[in-house]
Amino acid sequence: MNKLFEDRNRQFWILHTLGWLGFAIVNYLSSLVLDTRDAYLIVISLDAYVGWLLTIPLRYLYRSIWAWHPWKMILTVLVVALLIAMFWTVIRNFNYWEIYRHGYRPSDWLLYIKDTPAAFYVMLSWSGLYFGIKYYQTLQAEKQKSLTAMNKAHEAQLKMLRYQLNPHFLFNTLNAISTLVLINDNDTANKMVSRLSDFLRYSLYKDPINKVPLEQEIYAARLYLEIEKVRFSERLSIGIDIEPGTEKALVPSLILQPLIENAIKYAVAREVNGGEIVITARKFGHDLLLEVADNGPGLPDIVVADKTSDNGSGVGLVNTRERLAALYDNDFALVLTQNQPRGVKVNIRIPLQLEQTETDNA
């Protein structure tokens, strides 16, 4: 707030001084046409300086009446501008007669204020510029506040979407660990606890607003799949195929996790013999293509489940689509297709953005 006040205060003094300097220059150029003496330059300088001084109090007056009713404010501005214009006109004429006409004094007092309409126009112009600039600054400040509020809401939405991890995953994992402890398979239980700890640490410490390199996302996916592999043992096969050069591509953190979760829930868990999950990443022009494929029952089951699931049964495709829309606006695609010979493929297309390394920034 203090910085904003200082910036506006600095802007006022700069514009205020430049405005009156412009007034002096225009009057000087006009005097060249009339072929005036050099002494007239002193008169012009004094007129501009007095105008500069007289309009400073207007700033503080206009500040105090900014919240008034428009008609009351307009009437106040007109009256004050007229009074200042009359006073300024008297001083200007006095300077002109004293300096340029060597102490001349008119007999008619009305001659002291004869140029008031022109001075009134100048004061109204100054007032109009002041209110116009102040109104523009107020609009910009309100716009900035609105943008800040929207950004905060946007960040909150992203965090909410990212943190909607399936509680059933955690419950199933803890149950599996409990079972391993009961059968005295402590080594496997320790490994599972360690992997769960690493996965939760990754999910909690990564800011959902920021993107992460694909290699980190694959690391998190491996942790998740290794935990699930303890549950499903040989029933779960994993394949990861990452095209060289895509490791540093930036992706939303944990964007693959709900897709893998769906594949496990609707493909691997439903098959007696288990199934396979394959994760691939490819460059496609200026885009990055991500794919999660399985060899489960097929498309209808997962589509129906995802559309009807509203009781916390999974993060799902809707959540993923909303996250992508929040991060990339319309510059993304999420497509669900039938895998061959069976199963489901989920394809994501996002802009290819590479992580900036220290070498790149040097």
Side-chain angles (χ1 to χ4, degrees), residues 193-307:
V193 169
S194 177
R195 289 163 184 166
L196 177 61
S197 174
D198 290 341
F199 179 77
L200 291 178
R201 185 183 298 111
Y202 178 88
S203 65
L204 292 175
Y205 287 173
K206 292 298 180 183
D207 190 342
I209 306 302
N210 298 326
K211 303 181 182 70
V212 299
L214 179 61
E215 59 186 357
Q216 292 186 22
E217 180 68 5
I218 296 299
Y219 166 75
R222 287 183 187 275
L223 288 175
Y224 181 84
L225 287 168
E226 286 174 4
I227 293 170
E228 295 290 359
K229 194 168 177 60
V230 174
R231 288 178 54 211
F232 293 98
S233 186
E234 300 302 323
R235 293 177 58 209
L236 174 60
S237 298
I238 303 168
I240 297 179
D241 183 13
I242 306 300
E243 180 182 343
T246 62
E247 298 89 349
K248 300 298 181 182
L250 296 177
V251 298
S253 61
L254 292 182
I255 197 67
L256 296 177
Q257 190 266 342
L259 308 182
I260 299 170
E261 182 182 331
N262 274 342
I264 290 175
K265 183 174 181 179
Y266 301 115
V268 179
R270 293 190 178 189
E271 295 294 306
V272 176
N273 297 322
E276 181 184 26
I277 296 176
V278 178
I279 303 171
T280 60
R282 295 281 184 273
K283 289 181 182 178
F284 185 76
H286 297 290
D287 294 329
L288 175 69
L289 300 181
L290 301 173
E291 180 182 283
V292 177
D294 64 65
N295 60 350
L299 197 56
D301 287 342
I302 190 172
V303 172
V304 172
D306 192 72
K307 287 184 177 179

Side-chain angles (χ1 to χ4, degrees), residues 2 25 47 55 58 64 97 115-116 165 168 182 184 188 238 244 247 251 255 263 303 352:
N2 290 334
I25 292 174
D47 290 347
T55 46
L58 291 182
S64 64
W97 293 327
D115 296 324
T116 296
L165 293 175
H168 293 289
L182 288 174
N184 293 321
T188 306
I238 303 168
E247 298 89 349
V251 298
I255 197 67
V303 172
L352 179 62

Side-chain angles (χ1 to χ4, degrees), residues 79-119:
V79 171
V80 171
L82 179 60
L83 293 175
I84 295 292
M86 293 176 64
F87 186 56
W88 186 42
T89 300
V90 172
I91 296 176
R92 290 181 66 192
N93 285 329
F94 180 82
N95 290 335
Y96 176 74
W97 293 327
E98 184 68 26
I99 297 172
Y100 196 77
R101 302 197 50 188
H102 308 294
Y104 167 78
R105 296 290 182 274
S107 56
D108 189 355
W109 66 270
L110 289 176
L111 292 177
Y112 281 92
I113 57 173
K114 68 172 183 175
D115 296 324
T116 296

Side-chain angles (χ1 to χ4, degrees), residues 135-193:
Y135 182 70
Y136 173 77
Q137 289 176 336
T138 302
L139 283 180
Q140 290 298 107
E142 291 300 321
K143 183 178 179 181
Q144 187 62 41
K145 288 180 182 178
S146 176
L147 288 175
T148 301
M150 288 178 63
N151 287 336
K152 294 295 183 184
H154 179 72
E155 291 180 7
Q157 180 194 24
L158 283 174
K159 290 180 179 179
M160 177 194 69
L161 292 171
R162 223 295 302 277
Y163 291 144
Q164 284 178 353
L165 293 175
N166 186 2
H168 293 289
F169 156 69
L170 187 56
F171 297 154
N172 291 335
T173 303
L174 293 176
N175 285 333
I177 294 172
S178 176
T179 302
L180 291 170
V181 172
L182 288 174
I183 63 175
N184 293 321
D185 191 354
N186 295 329
D187 290 340
T188 306
N190 286 333
K191 290 179 182 178
M192 201 167 182
V193 169

